[in-house]
Every structure is written in C-alpha cells, then in structure tokens.
Amino acid sequence: MALRKRFEEIAEHLELLIISGELKEGDRIPSERALMEKFSAGRPSVREAIFSLQKKGLLSDLPRGVPRVQSPRADIVLKSIGSSVRQYIQRPEGIRNLQQARSLLESGLARSAARSATPADLRVLEKALRKNERARNQADFVASDLEFHQAIAAIASNEIFTSLNRSLAEWLRQQRTASADAGATMEEVARQHRDIYEAIAARDEEGACIAMESHLAFVARLFWMGQNPPDPD
C-alpha cells in the first residue's frame, strides 16, 4: 500500500478538526510553524495541505489573508471537480450523460419557474431573452444564451441548482459552437427561448418543461450531427 504524502496527513488532520466542530466557521487554523512542528514537515507540505482544503472550499483563500474555516459553497465544490469532468467528457458517452443530466435539470427548473416565478423574476428573464433576440454576433448570442438559462435557474433560489446549472453550461460550452456550425441559427434558438419564456410567464408548468426539453434536444441533436456529419451524396 502506497504511503500517504505528508501534506495529505496534515490536510486530513485539519479537515477532521473542522468536521468535528473543534474548528468552527471563522476560526483561524493553527499557524504554519505549529503544523510544521506537529508533523515534522516543511513549509511546502503545510502550504500544499492548506491549498488542498481551499480547493475543497473548507478554508478561505483571500490574497494575503490568514486562512480561516468557512462553509463550503456549491460553486466551489463543483469547481473543484472541473478538471475531472473535462477529462470525463473527452469520451462520447461522457458528453451524452451530461447532456441528459442537463436536460433533466433544466426541464425541472423550467417547470419550477412556471410555478413560482415572481413578476420581478419574469422581468429579469424577459430582459435576458430580449438581449438574446437582439444579438447580432455569436459572442453576444452565447453570452445572452447563458444569461437566459441562468435566469431560469435563479428563480428556484437554490444555490445547488444555480451552481450546477452554471457548471453544466460551462462543461458543455462546446455544444453551442458545434451546434451553430451544424446549422442551429441564432433566430431559431432565440425562438425556442421565447417559447420557454412564454410558457413560464403563462404559468404553464407542463408547457415550460416540454419547451425546455425540446430546445435542449434540438441543441444536442445538432451537436452530434456536427460530430458525425452525413456522407455527401
């Protein structure tokens, strides 16, 4: 069995102190010198241990700030697995699985938005939609596309949903370019966005869910067409 590296022992010790409640949110962790002495470790090992806990969101990472215990945030937790996900989607089945996950998540979010959106939520969503409809280049269109989908996720007021939705959009970012190359026009995608918006504004939960599912199926279908173009006649 491989021996653990010293920084892993230090990180595990600190994490156990946090999980047990001995170190609470806002507390400073033991000094570098104290940790060096306790584990007979060098400063690089201590700093690597601290960095690993910052990546997990358990310690603050303000520039020049003293690391303090903090509650993990959903966006930090998801960001920490980003490199693994990017490797995962190098395989076609990885992309398909994420596309399915995104469809299930966003169709549910659209249904939820139709049920609970406030007038203020609808104004934010309509503003994002209009920006999307007015976009005249691909960069502006993609930015407003992301804004529209994120506005729907935000209606749920749940950081898990908003962070996961943002992460899925980032991990599947290549879909937007590939789908456009395969024939998805800005006008068609914007029209689909309007269908989603109108169903949400009408409080049509089933219609919003179906409109979102149809939209994402369209994007995914064109993505795979771009990956496997038909043979020329």
Side-chain angles (χ1 to χ4, degrees):
M1 185 174 65
L3 293 175
R4 289 189 304 166
K5 295 181 179 179
R6 189 57 53 86
F7 88 88
E8 293 173 328
E9 296 179 11
I10 301 170
E12 181 179 288
H13 169 74
L14 292 173
E15 189 167 349
L16 287 173
L17 291 178
I18 294 169
I19 293 172
S20 69
E22 189 170 338
L23 285 176
K24 297 178 173 58
E25 186 171 1
D27 286 350
R28 296 175 60 168
I29 63 172
S31 68
E32 286 187 356
R33 182 170 296 279
L35 291 170
M36 288 166 61
E37 292 176 354
K38 181 177 181 64
F39 290 92
S40 301
R43 182 169 279 106
S45 293
V46 171
R47 291 185 174 176
E48 190 170 1
I50 292 171
F51 178 67
S52 70
L53 295 181
Q54 288 172 330
K55 287 179 63 178
K56 289 183 177 182
L58 295 175
L59 296 179
S60 63
D61 60 352
L62 296 176
R64 299 184 180 180
V66 176
R68 293 180 181 273
V69 177
Q70 65 180 14
S71 296
R73 300 198 317 267
D75 59 333
I76 294 177
V77 172
L78 289 168
K79 184 178 179 181
S80 71
I81 65 171
S83 59
S84 296
V85 173
R86 281 187 285 274
Q87 182 176 356
Y88 177 69
I89 59 177
Q90 294 304 307
R91 300 173 297 166
E93 64 268 28
I95 296 177
R96 291 187 189 279
N97 287 341
L98 280 185
Q99 287 173 331
Q100 182 183 32
R102 182 189 179 198
S103 181
L104 287 171
L105 173 68
E106 291 210 50
S107 60
L109 287 171
R111 182 189 294 276
S112 175
R115 181 170 58 251
S116 61
T118 65
D121 290 329
L122 292 176
R123 286 194 293 271
V124 171
L125 185 58
E126 185 178 22
K127 181 180 179 181
L129 173 64
R130 291 190 182 281
K131 287 171 65 175
N132 190 238
E133 292 174 330
R134 291 196 299 265
R136 292 296 175 265
N137 60 68
Q138 191 66 22
D140 289 345
F141 188 81
V142 168
S144 58
D145 184 335
L146 291 168
E147 184 177 340
F148 176 78
H149 283 271
Q150 197 61 15
I152 294 174
I155 293 172
S157 298
N158 183 316
E159 68 167 342
I160 297 293
F161 293 149
T162 53
S163 298
L164 185 54
N165 190 68
R166 185 182 297 110
S167 294
L168 282 167
E170 176 62 31
W171 296 330
L172 294 171
R173 177 178 288 272
Q174 63 172 318
Q175 274 196 154
R176 287 175 166 81
T177 301
S179 297
D181 292 342
T185 65
M186 292 189 291
E187 293 77 14
E188 172 61 17
V189 174
R191 185 191 65 75
Q192 293 173 8
H193 287 164
R194 177 158 287 280
D195 289 343
I196 296 167
Y197 166 77
E198 289 179 352
I200 291 173
R203 307 295 181 188
D204 180 359
E205 296 181 32
E206 188 65 20
C209 179
I210 291 173
M212 181 64 81
E213 286 179 343
S214 177
H215 166 57
L216 295 179
F218 170 81
V219 173
R221 183 169 63 254
L222 286 185
F223 169 79
W224 289 110
M225 285 177 59
Q227 300 302 299
N228 302 286
D231 294 331
D233 294 333

